[in-house]
Amino acid sequence: LKLAAHALFKKLKDEELELLLQAVESRGAWESGCIWAPRGDTRGAKQGLPPQVLLCRLYRWPDLHQSHELKHLCYCAGSWGGCGDLAVLCCNPHHFSRLAVPETPPSPYLKASYGPSWPDEPRHSSAQLLDFSYSGGDWHGKRLCSPLPDTSASWGTIKDGCWCKLAYWEHRTRVGRLYAVHEASVSVFCELPWGSGFCLAQLPAAHRSHAVQRARVKIGRGLLLSRELDGIWAYNRSEHPIFVSSPTLSPPGACRLTVLKVLPGYSAKVFDYEWVGCKAGWWLPGEGPCDPHSIRISFAKGWGPCYSRQFITSCPCWLEVLLNQLR
């Protein structure tokens, strides 16, 4: 790639080379602007790589081959034509993520046997259930040992202008208040040199187990949640995997809840708007009802029948995204 890279560098302005240096040296920890490069005509070229693929392959993913493996991050102006010049495109390697897709064949964390799904009749369980109720500007979690509670409170009943609220959990204990999200995207992190968002390091806790402390160290830069035209996307900014589940990740009529592993630098659409309204609820044996308009994300630790952790409430650190309004 040496000749192709040098040819591209010669086409970049000095300020764009400075931006590239900043992005590469910080490994995306510091937000940098778009790096505009001419689209050019790569037909007949030996390398034949678009500028964004070339730089992503050079600085992030050596095994990258095609541009369709990449996704613009929400803050990249190139994703919505912010430059206004169709002859150029953004090639900042840290303005892109790779697309996470379910593995084939499914790994153990994709085969969690949850079901049957969407029961027609209320069900009872002797296991402890988690119920969420909204009161006085905050959410409150309590444990139940009774029939199926109402879990629709997080959807369409809050008229405060936010599109979601974030709840941070350590095992079965929620830590801190809910974080309301009004902007189109939000960063969730423990350590981030520059930026704003939901900083988990600022949430106090009376006692944290060694397992929780070890997991919190792995959160680092965390993740970026963005509300886009086709759904909710999660970008893994940390150096460790995250595990995600939501009803829309499972095929219609499935009796299993899909848990998707998202590697560092990858993005996944974790909630699909087209699915909304198809079903009314989701039942997780051992945990109880799950809000069909919520997303659950575990940091660094997976769960399922092939793990020592059967349920996400056994994971040391996890996030619940309670969606409020769609578009």
Side-chain angles (χ1 to χ4, degrees), residues 19-102:
L19 284 175
L20 177 60
L21 179 64
Q22 175 186 338
V24 170
E25 288 189 340
S26 69
R27 294 186 298 168
W30 294 76
E31 292 185 12
S32 55
C34 289
I35 300 170
W36 301 107
R39 293 179 181 270
D41 186 357
T42 59
R43 291 176 298 179
K46 186 174 182 179
Q47 293 297 336
L49 294 177
Q52 73 275 24
V53 176
L54 174 63
L55 294 187
C56 285
R57 185 172 174 179
L58 187 63
Y59 293 115
R60 299 193 68 185
W61 304 292
D63 61 338
L64 181 69
H65 296 290
Q66 303 292 334
S67 58
H68 63 75
E69 301 174 52
L70 297 173
K71 179 190 182 299
H72 279 277
L73 295 177
C74 59
Y75 51 76
C76 177
S79 63
W80 40 269
C83 177
D85 187 352
L86 298 179
V88 298
L89 50 77
C90 177
C91 61
N92 188 330
H94 288 281
H95 278 200
F96 293 87
S97 66
R98 293 191 76 171
L99 288 171
V101 295

Side-chain angles (χ1 to χ4, degrees), residues 34 37 43 51-53 64 128 130-131 199 219 255 309 312:
C34 289
R43 291 176 298 179
Q52 73 275 24
V53 176
L64 181 69
Q128 281 190 323
L130 293 179
D131 177 39
C199 181
I219 295 175
C255 61
R309 303 166 191 84
I312 194 170

Side-chain angles (χ1 to χ4, degrees), residues 258-286:
T258 297
V259 179
L260 179 64
K261 182 179 183 180
V262 183
L263 296 173
Y266 280 67
S267 286
K269 183 164 66 171
V270 296
F271 194 87
D272 192 334
Y273 293 144
E274 297 299 325
W275 174 93
V276 176
C278 293
K279 300 295 182 181
W282 183 267
W283 180 276
L284 305 182

Side-chain angles (χ1 to χ4, degrees), residues 313-325:
T313 49
S314 300
C315 293
C317 305
W318 57 282
L319 187 73
E320 186 160 35
V321 184
L322 302 165
L323 300 177
N324 183 22
Q325 51 187 323

